Amino acid sequence: MKKVLITGVTGQDGSYLAEFLLEKGYKVYGLKRRTVNAGMENIGHIIDEIELIDGDITDMPSLVDAVKTSMPDEVYNFAAQSFVQTSWKQPHVTAQINSLGAMALLDAIRTIKPDARFYQESTSEMFGNSRIVPQNEDTPFCPRSPYGVSKLYAHWITVNYRDSYDMFACSGILFNHESPRRGPEFVTRKVTMAAAMIKAGLIDRIGMGRLDVKRDWGFAGDYVKAMWLMLQNDKPVDYVIATGTAHSVEEMAKIAFEYVGLDHRDHIYLDERYLRPAEVTQLVGDATRAEKELGWKPEVGFRDLIEMMVESDIRKLRDT
């Protein structure tokens, strides 16, 4: 039986990956901060099938202990301060978790279980406002936020450890991927929750930032399959994982509100609090390499994804 260690196991990606690997017969260990219960609902249905290990990505001794306890064949690092807006308010914390945390985990693996295969969660935010559209593995990086910069460090330190220590370490450069498990602070979930709440008469309006910003949005459940395929490769290779199609925030809001029979224009207003100091206006990925070499393709379309999220939020409101 293969063993896996997942940091950030209670988050969106960690929970979907844990489900996926349990179905494949893995023994799943998850790193969890002892004092944090956020996201536990994401793994509530599989909590008896995984082994949680108390630890913190910024605490090297706990990472060493987690690797010793699990002795994993594969390690997936999802531990992150992943909200771009917060990274301007907390740049030091963002760097500590995203940058130095990834390096600490690599060191723990190198010391205790150097043959473990390592996956680092990289991000399309590393491309920033690239003039090259779509972006692929050869597109130059130019991050436009402390979050993007912190993830770029983690990306390059993964490359460095791969080259320096002959570790099987690679990164998935993932474009935006969403699901009903997405945190409420992210724009997709913010909109789908708003549509459900407005339809239920709980609120009337919602403040938003720029609606013209475009992103390449896919389904997180599809993307974890690509991560697993990367670690089954003969050699460690970094891949862009994306749908290849960009949609604006307004288009996303239109679909969400139409699903509940409303016009988004009647319920959304500009709130300057959500305007970023340096905005990335468009990101769209080219996952041709992943399709050719991994045989991976996204399965859930954009409209189906947004409607899935709205329906989930409607059910949650009914159950509360």
Side-chain angles (χ1 to χ4, degrees), residues 123-133 135 139-145 148 175 215 278-284:
T123 171
S124 58
E125 290 288 332
M126 300 187 308
F127 292 123
N129 272 333
S130 174
R131 295 183 180 181
I132 300 172
V133 179
Q135 295 90 38
T139 303
F141 296 123
C142 186
R144 297 266 292 171
S145 67
F175 281 66
R215 291 290 186 272
E279 184 63 85
V280 176
T281 56
Q282 176 171 304
L283 288 169
V284 57

Side-chain angles (χ1 to χ4, degrees), residues 22 24 103 183 199 216 246-247 294:
L22 284 170
K24 289 194 170 294
M103 182 170 65
K199 182 63 177 179
D216 184 331
H247 301 272
L294 301 178

